């Protein structure tokens, strides 16, 4: 159909209008193709000329016929475009008060801003069972369609409700829920719906806030799944939330408020139960007053708070939990009022200790005040080699405080949603569900940030799913009517989605920039410009370098980059989280324990598979290394939502906000059309317009357009044939219509064309009647006008001829004048230009000559300057070369010296060196004693020399004084004499002071030495006594336990009762474990705080090869042999642990250590159960067999043993303190190499003496046993009776009473020793059996897991099997590598601790040697004799493999690089790892640090290279 046929006179069109968006007009003149303007008449009878762009030739939109205006389905309109849709919605909303309109499968809902009586139960029953098009559009019709399709097709359904804030999304979702509750259950609301409705006040309180567009705006999206059983009755529900606006907690724009719960809690602060919250009016808190107005008209916050508390009660939240929730919310308000003050330097800040709000915050959350105050103004930076504690500026501290407040509120919001889901959860099996998605619509503001970006990204995904679904339904309709069709080209927004979420898209680049330590918003924006500048959906603003533009499906949006990185990181410092985890309130601690934190588990769990001993605390990895960004989390949750929606049948509800003033039934076209573009309604219209949007049944079409038919073409018996003939005659293009089985399908505009033909037909009949009458009247009038015109023409033509002749004469005269004047003007201009040119040439030539002369002059001067400059540069170059040669010589000599020093150190640490030192140890000790005597003699001689020097000095001073007096008498110069006297007095004072200090130091030294020796002797004696008493008590306990074995059978009846008590005890134990985890966290925080306060601020550099996992090696180390000296070095060891460098594998090590600790906890719990059972048996035996005297003795002995053990512990602590004091004193002095050697000798002698003492004890017991056995063979021993000592005999020799008692005691001790050994062996056997059982369970689980993996692998393709096996091998090698690395780090740390201890003991020996007095020769001779007879135990070093340095590459190549999985499977499991481990042990035993480091580095590099090659 041509344009000339459509745009004719009387055709109605739509033209753009700045106020009403689109304005109606009527064509008053036929339009011909190529005309620049279109003549129109508006509704107010005014005429305009509408300009048409010649480039685009875009004509105004055509209006639909009146018969189609007000249709309840927008797709039924003939012309489907924006003005037609807007006009139809306006007519239905304002004239008919219909708020619902269909747009294909979309229900458009306009908010009326008043209550309407169209949601009662009678309306629900009226829509129940009806088809979607049978009744007027309604939200109940959409809900009925979803419910009916779920029951009919047994497929899950979804209702997607979207729109702007204040458009009525939540109300629409609520009515859909009510419909499902009524239809899917009884007439009244079901219990599930009551709970869901009860959750509404809670979610509105914690998730809704006042904005400039809505007083109760939802600041998050939610998806509610309503579960149905096989009978399609509601059985449960589940809620998922998306993108909570956390920034509103700390910032609100003008005329906006924070979340309702803050104002509700402040309004109810005067209640008695809320006195501890220390709250006042909301005007007193920073987080609630930034918007300016804290009130909402018509809203009572106190009343709403009561509804919120009632809703919490309905959902089963206990009163104690409610109070805890309100405490957390109140703490956020107090945190916002914490005042951070900047220091003078500007790089640090502080918080006053008297800050009431910080005190309230710590009290409400149950955290440490000092720690929170410190970490709010400081932060910790952990690198691979060192740890910093850095101060923060005031702005950084405020940002950290705000981030903490947002994180606390987000965690509380998440906890409440999880609790609501638990209340709505059901144990019944769910057959199907209907999901209701209440999500934000497309948003664009003047300032668009990260939240708007995520919202619009979600709408892009939803629009893509919406377009594909509408396109699918449109094609199904064509196939149902058997219409031939081709693919409709619809606007696919996949390129825009790829721009956002694809690889190296906006989100990927944002996450990458967040990982950069010093990433900024500007750098991220620059990366976007460089990467996506050629994208069709990405633009760079002309006037900004910190923003970007994305062309969405609805509109073009400009986003400001400021704050994107901070909001995406959602950074909260780990120190704050650690403090909150250590809270004394359980709810607060649970909020911040994620799935990765270790939690106590019951003893019956079998998840842990390794039994290890407990280790020292492990530095925890920071949260920022593992936490996902907000964009990544939102993308994952959005992908999960899209998977859910794609697996269901969607139904769409688009809510429209008619005006911003919230007036009832008021329609603002500009606001409405903006939302129609954003919500996808116009896209639905466009897809429908691309096909056949207008559809008529054959009878309706015949009745409407029979006027266009001729009488001979009408066939009443076959109306379908008549319609076909008519359309073939009227519409020449067959593509403009199609004939279906029951309907005729028309392209867009064809129905309007038929309406125009029909109107033209009627108009032509009217014109025929009017033509005859108007023709006669015009003929009469024409004759009169013709006669008058001829007369007027005759006179006019004569006047015009005379005027033309006069004009010709005047024109010829003017031409002559112009010729002469122009000639004169041109000659004058030529002469003026010629003179000026000559003058300019003269001056220019002079200037060029002067410039040439000046250039020659400068060239000459430059040559002179260059001559002197080059000479100076050559001299400077020579000096630099000479200095460099000197520096190189110094560096080379220093390198040679360092190499020689390192070689000497290696020789000093080698085993051969220590063997040489041990040769002739006894002689060296004698030499040391002699040297001490010589030093004491030398000390005495030095004292004598000092006294002689003092005497001589006094004589000299007296002599000088006399000379001064003589000189004063001769010269009379008083000033010089007085200065000399003052100098003499000053020297005398220094001498006296030095002597006094020396005497004082000597007295202190001798006193301390005597006290130390005395206390050491007392401690050794007391320790021997305690050991003896302890052995006696152990023997008595063992004898009692032996007697109790005969009564085991009598206790079977009491096992059930004991089992119940044991279960209660286990429950209490679990609670204690949970409390222990919190206290342990608090201990970690306090320990860290103590370390920071103990040492000066800053960082402490540790060796890069120091492990962060402590020295829990499985191999014997020297530190374990030294014993109590480890306590002396605890402070140094703690410093190393706290400041240890972090490795890239810390996370994996922490996971392994958590498993080890869990296994150790299980083992200890099993031991505890055994001890409880043994204690119960002892208790029953004591009650049945023991007499009162025996009970009294047992109680007395147990108390005595406890007292002795506590006294022994106290003495050990005193000994450690003394040793520590000696170490501190020793560090103040310097020791020589000879004293260091003597210290090593004494240390080895001390160890050997201890080992010899143990051997002697065993020999004494064996000898006593042999004596008793010999006496028993010759004469039986009679039992000892009370208050009577028996006679003992040995052959024919008489044994006195003391010998008999001693022999009897030896027998008792022997029996006790044997019993103890037997019981230890039995316990060891039981432990081994338990370990074997545990190992069997582990093997079973491992076999099951491998079988599952094998079955999964067999199902894969051969290529996938190979890839999977390689992946498994890589994982195993990686774990083994980490274990080896951890072991090497432990050994290195043991070595370093040994070096530190050796240094301290060397200083200690030096101190003792310097203060050792002379001893008697007899005693020294006795000690030397004892030392000479010491026996040394030979140690066997096994499990080591020696290798040479040049074989290292070959070793790594055979064990790592060239090792194949097929070869490994045929050998011992983990054989390459064992070989490498034995090599490392040997290198470590030889103290070859360079060899260990080289082997580990080569192994790790080979493993990494193998992993890269397999990938």
């Amino acid at each position: 159909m041509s344009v000339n046929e459509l745009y004719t006179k009387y055709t109605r069109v739509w033209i753009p209008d700045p106020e009403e968006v689109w304005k109606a007009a009527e064509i008053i003149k036929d339009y011909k193709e190529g005309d620049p303007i279109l003549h129109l008449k508006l509704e107010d009878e005014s005429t305009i000329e509408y300009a048409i762009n010649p480039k685009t030739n875009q004509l105004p939109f055509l209006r639909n016929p009146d018969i189609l205006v007000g249709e309840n389905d927008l797709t039924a309109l003939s012309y489907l475009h924006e003005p037609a849709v807007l006009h139809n919605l306006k007519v239905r909303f304002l004239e008919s008060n219909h708020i619902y309109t269909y747009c294909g499968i979309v229900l458009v809902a306009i908010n009326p801003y008043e209550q309407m009586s169209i949601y009662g139960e009678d309306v629900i029953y009226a829509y129940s069972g009806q088809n979607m098009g049978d009744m007027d559009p309604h939200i109940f019709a959409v809900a009925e369609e979803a419910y009916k399709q779920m029951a009919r097709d047994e497929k899950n359904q979804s209702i997607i409700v979207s729109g702007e804030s204040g458009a009525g999304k939540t109300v629409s979702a609520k009515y859909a829920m009510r419909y499902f509750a009524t239809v899917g259950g009884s007439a009244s609301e079901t219990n599930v719906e009551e709970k869901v409705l009860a959750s509404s006040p809670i979610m509105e309180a914690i998730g809704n806030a006042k904005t400039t567009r809505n007083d109760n705006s939802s600041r998050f999206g939610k998806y509610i799944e309503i579960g149905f059983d096989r009978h399609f009755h509601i059985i449960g529900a589940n809620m998922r939330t998306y993108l909570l606006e956390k920034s509103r907690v700390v910032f609100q724009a003008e005329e906006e408020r924070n979340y309702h719960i803050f104002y509700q809690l402040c309004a109810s602060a005067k209640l008695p139960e809320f006195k501890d919250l220390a709250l006042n009016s909301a005007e007193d808190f920073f987080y609630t007053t930034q918007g300016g107005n804290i009130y909402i008209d018509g809203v009572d916050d106190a009343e709403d708070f009561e509804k919120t508390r009632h809703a919490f009660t309905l959902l089963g939240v206990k009163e104690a939990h409610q109070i805890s929730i309100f405490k957390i919310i109140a703490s956020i308000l107090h945190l916002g009022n914490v005042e951070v003050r900047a220091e003078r330097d500007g790089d640090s800040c502080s918080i006053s200790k008297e800050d009431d709000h910080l005190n309230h915050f710590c009290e409400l959350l149950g955290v440490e005040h000092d720690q929170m105050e410190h970490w709010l103004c400081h932060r910790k930076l952990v690198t691979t080699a060192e740890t910093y504690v850095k101060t923060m500026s005031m702005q950084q501290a405020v940002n950290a405080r705000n981030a903490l407040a947002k994180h606390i509120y987000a965690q509380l919001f998440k906890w409440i949603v999880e609790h609501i889901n638990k209340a709505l959860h059901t144990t019944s099996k769910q057959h199907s569900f209907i999901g209701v998605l209440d999500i934000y619509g497309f948003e664009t503001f003047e300032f668009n940030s990260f939240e708007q970006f995520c919202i619009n990204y979600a709408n892009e995904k939803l629009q893509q799913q919406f377009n594909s679904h509408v396109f699918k339904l449109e094609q199904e309709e064509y196939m149902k009517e058997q219409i031939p069709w081709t693919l409709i080209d619809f606007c696919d927004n996949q390129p825009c989605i790829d721009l956002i979420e694809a690889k190296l898209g906006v989100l990927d680049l944002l996450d990458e920039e967040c990982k950069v330590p010093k990433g900024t918003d500007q750098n991220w924006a620059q990366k976007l410009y460089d990467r996506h500048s050629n994208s069709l959906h990405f633009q760079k603003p002309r006037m900004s370098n910190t923003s970007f533009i994305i062309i969405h499906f609805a509109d073009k949006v400009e986003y400001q980059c400021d704050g994107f990185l901070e909001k995406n990181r959602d950074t909260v410092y780990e120190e704050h989280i650690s403090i909150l985890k250590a809270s004394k309130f359980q709810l607060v601690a649970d909020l911040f324990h994620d799935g990765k934190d270790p939690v106590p588990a019951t003893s019956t769990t079998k998840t842990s598979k390794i039994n290890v001993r407990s280790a020292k605390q492990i530095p925890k990895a920071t949260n920022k290394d593992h936490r996902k960004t907000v964009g990544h989390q939102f993308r994952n949750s959005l992908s999960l939502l899209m998977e859910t929606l794609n697996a269901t049948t969607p139904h769409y509800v688009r809510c429209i906000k008619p005006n911003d003033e919230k007036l009832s039934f008021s329609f603002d076209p500009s606001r409405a059309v903006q939302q129609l573009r954003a919500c996808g309604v116009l896209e639905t219209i466009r897809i429908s317009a691309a096909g056949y949007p207008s559809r008529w049944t054959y009878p309706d079409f015949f009745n409407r357009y029979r006027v266009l038919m001729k009488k001979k073409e009408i066939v009443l018996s076959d109306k379908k044939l008549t319609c076909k003939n008519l359309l073939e005659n009227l519409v020449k293009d067959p593509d403009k219509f199609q004939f279906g089985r029951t309907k005729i399908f028309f392209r867009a505009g064809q129905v309007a064309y038929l309406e125009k033909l029909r109107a033209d037909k009627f108009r032509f009949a009217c014109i025929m009647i009017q033509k005859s009458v108007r023709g006669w009247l015009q003929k009469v009038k024409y004759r009169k006008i013709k006669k008058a015109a001829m007369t007027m023409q005759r006179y006019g033509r004569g006047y015009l001829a005379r005027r033309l002749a006069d004009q010709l004469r005047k024109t010829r005269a003017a031409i002559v004048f112009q010729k002469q004047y122009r000639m004169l003007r041109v000659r004058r201009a030529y002469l003026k230009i010629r003179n000026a040119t000559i003058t300019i040439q003269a001056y220019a030539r002079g200037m060029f000559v002067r410039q040439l002369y000046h250039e020659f002059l400068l060239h000459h001067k430059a040559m002179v300057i260059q001559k002197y400059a080059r000479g100076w540069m050559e001299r400077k170059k020579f000096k630099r070369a000479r200095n460099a040669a000197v520096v190189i010589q110094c560096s080379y000599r220093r390198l040679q010296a360092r190499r020689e020093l390192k070689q000497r150190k290696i020789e000093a640490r080698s085993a051969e060196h220590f063997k040489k030192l041990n040769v002739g140890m006894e002689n060296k000790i004698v030499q040391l004693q002699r040297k001490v005597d010589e030093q004491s003699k030398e000390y005495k001689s030095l004292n004598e020399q000092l006294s002689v020097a003092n005497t001589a000095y006094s004589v000299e001073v007296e002599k000088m004084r006399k000379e001064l007096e003589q000189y004063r008498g001769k010269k009379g110069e008083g000033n010089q004499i007085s200065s000399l006297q003052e100098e003499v007095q000053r020297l005398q004072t220094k001498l006296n002071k030095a002597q006094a200090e020396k005497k004082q130091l000597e007295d202190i030294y001798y006193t301390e030495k005597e006290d130390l020796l005395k206390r050491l002797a007392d401690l050794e004696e007391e320790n021997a006594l305690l050991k003896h008493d302890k052995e006696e008590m152990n023997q008595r306990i063992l004898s009692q336990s032996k007697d109790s074995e005969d009564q085991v059978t009598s206790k079977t009846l009491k096992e059930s009762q004991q089992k119940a008590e044991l279960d209660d005890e286990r429950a209490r134990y679990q609670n204690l474990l949970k409390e222990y985890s919190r206290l342990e966290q608090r201990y970690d925080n306090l320990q860290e705080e103590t370390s920071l306060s103990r040492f000066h601020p800053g960082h402490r550099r540790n060796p890069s090869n120091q492990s962060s996992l402590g020295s829990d090696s499985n191999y014997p180390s020297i530190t374990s042999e030294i014993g109590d000296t480890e306590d002396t070095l605890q402070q140094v060891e703690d410093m190393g642990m706290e400041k240890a460098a972090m490795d890239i594998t810390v996370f994996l090590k922490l996971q392994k250590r958590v498993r080890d600790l869990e296994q150790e906890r299980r083992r200890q719990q099993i031991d505890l159960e055994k001890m409880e059972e043994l204690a119960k048996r002892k208790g029953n035996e004591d009650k049945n067999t023991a007499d009162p005297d025996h009970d009294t003795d047992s109680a007395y002995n147990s108390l005595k043993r406890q007292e002795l053990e506590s006294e022994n512990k106290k003495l050990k602590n005193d000994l450690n303190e003394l040793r520590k004091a000696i170490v501190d004193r020793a560090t103040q002095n310097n020791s020589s190499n000879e004293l260091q050697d003597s210290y090593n000798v004494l240390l080895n002698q001390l160890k050997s003496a201890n080992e010899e003492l143990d051997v002697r004890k065993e020999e004494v017991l064996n000898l006593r046993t042999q004596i008793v056995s010999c006496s028993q063979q010759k004469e039986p021993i009679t039992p000892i009776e009370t208050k009577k000592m028996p006679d003992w005999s040995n052959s024919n020799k008489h044994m006195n009473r003391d010998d008999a008692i001693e022999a009897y005691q030896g027998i008792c001790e022997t029996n006790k020793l044997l019993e103890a050994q037997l019981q230890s062996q039995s316990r060891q056997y039981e432990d081994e059996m338990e370990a074997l059982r545990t190992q069997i369970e582990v093997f079973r689980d491992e076999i099951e897991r491998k079988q599952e993996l094998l079955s999964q692998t067999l199902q894969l393709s051969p290529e996938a099997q190979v890839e999977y096996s390689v992946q498994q091998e890589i994982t195993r090698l990686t774990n083994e590598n980490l274990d080896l690395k951890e072991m090497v780090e432990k050994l290195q740390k043991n070595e370093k601790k040994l070096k530190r201890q050796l240094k301290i003991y060397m200083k200690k020996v030096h101190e003792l040697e310097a203060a050792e007095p002379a001893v008697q020769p007899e005693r020294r001779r006795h000690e030397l004799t004892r030392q000479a007879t010491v026996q040394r135990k030979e140690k066997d070093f096994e499990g080591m493999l020696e290798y040479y340095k040049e074989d290292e590459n070959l070793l790594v190549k055979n064990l790592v690089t060239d090792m194949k999985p097929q070869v490994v499977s045929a050998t011992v499991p983990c054989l390459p790892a064992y070989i490498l481990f034995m090599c490392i042990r040997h290198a470590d035993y030889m103290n070859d640090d360079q060899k260990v480091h080289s082997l580990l580095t080569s192994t790790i590099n080979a493993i990494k290279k193998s992993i890269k090659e397999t990938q």
Side-chain angles (χ1 to χ4, degrees), residues 163-167 169-170 203-220 244-245 248 256-260 296 440 443 445 657 662:
E164 280 193 4
S165 176
K169 301 187 300 296
T170 305
M203 299 308 296
E204 289 182 2
I206 65 175
N208 289 23
K210 177 188 175 183
T211 63
T212 56
R213 297 184 177 180
N214 187 10
D215 291 342
N216 190 26
S217 175
S218 298
R219 308 315 300 163
F220 66 101
L244 175 69
E245 188 183 6
R248 183 169 292 273
E256 292 189 358
R257 293 205 322 173
N258 208 327
Y259 291 105
H260 295 325
I296 301 177
Y440 19 66
E443 288 188 358
F445 303 107
K657 186 177 181 180
K662 304 170 189 175

Side-chain angles (χ1 to χ4, degrees), residues 140-334:
F140 292 159
V142 177
E144 171 60 24
E145 185 69 16
Y147 183 80
K148 185 166 56 179
Q149 290 187 17
M150 178 191 67
R152 181 184 62 206
D153 303 334
E154 293 189 353
K155 186 177 180 182
N156 299 326
Q157 309 290 313
S158 292
I159 298 178
I160 303 173
V161 184
S162 64
E164 280 193 4
S165 176
K169 301 187 300 296
T170 305
V171 176
S172 298
K174 180 179 178 181
Y175 286 137
M177 291 285 299
R178 179 176 298 176
Y179 184 86
F180 294 138
T182 304
V183 176
S186 60
S188 60
E189 294 177 349
T190 61
N191 188 26
V192 175
E193 194 215 5
E194 288 181 359
K195 291 184 178 180
V196 174
L197 295 179
S199 66
S200 296
I202 299 175
M203 299 308 296
E204 289 182 2
I206 65 175
N208 289 23
K210 177 188 175 183
T211 63
T212 56
R213 297 184 177 180
N214 187 10
D215 291 342
N216 190 26
S217 175
S218 298
R219 308 315 300 163
F220 66 101
K222 61 178 178 292
Y223 182 70
I224 303 174
E225 290 184 0
I226 305 170
F228 294 86
D229 57 9
R230 289 189 174 273
H231 301 288
F232 305 107
H233 296 299
I234 296 178
I235 59 173
N238 183 58
M239 181 190 302
R240 282 185 282 172
T241 59
Y242 302 95
L243 198 65
L244 175 69
E245 188 183 6
K246 295 189 291 186
S247 60
R248 183 169 292 273
V249 177
V250 299
F251 174 75
Q252 305 92 41
E254 189 69 23
E255 296 299 326
E256 292 189 358
R257 293 205 322 173
N258 208 327
Y259 291 105
H260 295 325
I261 188 64
F262 294 107
Y263 303 94
Q264 294 177 4
L265 191 60
C266 291
S268 305
K270 295 182 179 179
L271 295 177
E273 58 267 28
F274 294 151
K275 289 184 178 180
D276 296 337
L277 303 184
L279 293 177
N280 297 320
S281 174
E283 297 177 347
D284 298 334
F285 295 99
F286 175 71
Y287 282 165
T288 55
T289 56
Q290 299 180 62
N293 187 6
I294 64 172
Y295 301 104
I296 301 177
D297 296 337
V299 175
D300 187 354
D301 290 326
E303 183 179 351
D304 291 343
F305 185 68
E306 291 299 325
K307 295 179 181 179
T308 304
R309 296 184 67 184
H310 180 65
F312 273 122
T313 305
L314 287 179
L315 289 175
V317 181
K318 299 179 181 180
E319 187 69 24
H321 281 178
Q322 294 184 31
I323 297 299
S324 299
I325 291 172
F326 300 145
K327 283 184 177 181
I328 295 172
I329 296 172
S331 68
I332 294 174
L333 293 177
H334 287 295

Side-chain angles (χ1 to χ4, degrees), residues 364-602:
L364 292 173
L365 294 184
V367 297
E368 298 292 338
H369 179 275
D370 295 336
Q371 293 182 11
M372 183 59 68
E373 176 191 349
H374 175 77
W375 289 114
L376 281 176
C377 300
H378 299 77
R379 62 175 299 190
K380 183 192 297 182
L381 299 178
V382 180
T383 63
T384 56
E386 50 197 20
T387 302
Y388 300 89
V389 176
K390 182 182 179 182
T391 60
M392 292 190 293
S393 63
M394 185 182 72
Q395 187 60 40
Q396 291 175 343
V398 171
N399 294 337
R401 181 198 67 185
N402 294 339
L404 179 61
K406 293 189 291 184
H407 185 69
I408 294 173
Y409 191 81
Q411 293 297 109
L412 179 62
F413 182 86
K414 180 180 177 182
W415 184 89
I416 293 174
V417 172
E418 290 176 355
H419 194 87
I420 292 174
N421 287 333
K422 290 180 182 178
L424 299 177
H425 180 68
T426 179
T427 57
S428 302
K429 184 176 180 180
Q430 178 178 298
H431 179 259
S432 57
F433 70 85
I434 297 178
V436 180
L437 177 63
D438 178 8
I439 199 166
Y440 19 66
F442 187 86
E443 288 188 358
T444 173
F445 303 107
E446 293 182 0
F447 182 85
N448 299 287
S449 187
F450 182 72
E451 292 82 4
Q452 283 70 40
F453 175 78
C454 292
I455 288 172
N456 295 339
Y457 165 49
N459 279 272
E460 285 284 354
K461 297 283 286 186
L462 291 173
Q463 182 65 22
Q464 184 188 37
Q465 191 267 351
F466 171 74
N467 289 345
S468 61
H469 184 69
V470 171
F471 170 76
K472 181 179 177 182
L473 291 181
E474 192 74 12
Q475 306 301 346
E476 288 178 355
E477 177 70 16
Y478 295 156
M479 295 181 67
K480 179 180 177 183
E481 289 291 331
Q482 299 178 359
I483 299 297
W485 57 279
T486 57
L487 290 176
I488 298 174
D489 184 18
F490 63 95
C491 181
D492 188 8
N493 56 348
Q494 185 62 39
C496 183
I497 295 175
D498 292 340
L499 172 65
I500 297 174
E501 68 177 9
K503 186 176 181 180
L504 295 181
V506 177
L507 288 178
D508 269 8
L509 293 177
L510 181 61
D511 292 343
E512 178 183 349
E513 190 67 21
C514 289
K515 295 177 183 178
V516 178
K518 294 184 179 180
T520 61
D521 296 319
Q522 292 77 12
N523 293 340
W524 175 60
Q526 190 61 41
K527 290 181 180 179
L528 289 179
Y529 301 152
D530 297 339
R531 178 69 185 174
H532 301 291
S533 59
N534 297 327
S535 177
L536 298 177
H537 292 267
F538 183 88
Q539 294 180 0
K540 179 185 179 299
R542 295 182 179 178
M543 305 302 294
S544 175
N545 289 326
T546 59
S547 61
F548 61 94
I549 297 174
I550 292 182
I551 303 175
H552 292 282
F553 72 96
D555 199 358
K556 182 189 297 185
V557 182
E558 180 178 352
Y559 298 100
Q560 283 72 25
C561 296
D562 295 338
F564 262 72
L565 263 67
E566 186 66 27
K567 293 178 181 178
N568 188 49
R569 289 193 188 108
D570 195 19
T571 304
V572 58
Y573 293 127
E574 185 67 22
E575 294 79 16
H576 301 163
I577 302 302
S578 299
I579 295 173
L580 294 174
K581 286 181 181 178
S583 172
K584 63 182 180 181
F585 298 133
Q586 184 63 37
L587 178 59
V588 178
D590 291 343
L591 286 180
F592 302 96
H593 278 287
D594 54 7
K596 297 179 182 178
D597 291 338
V599 294
T602 60

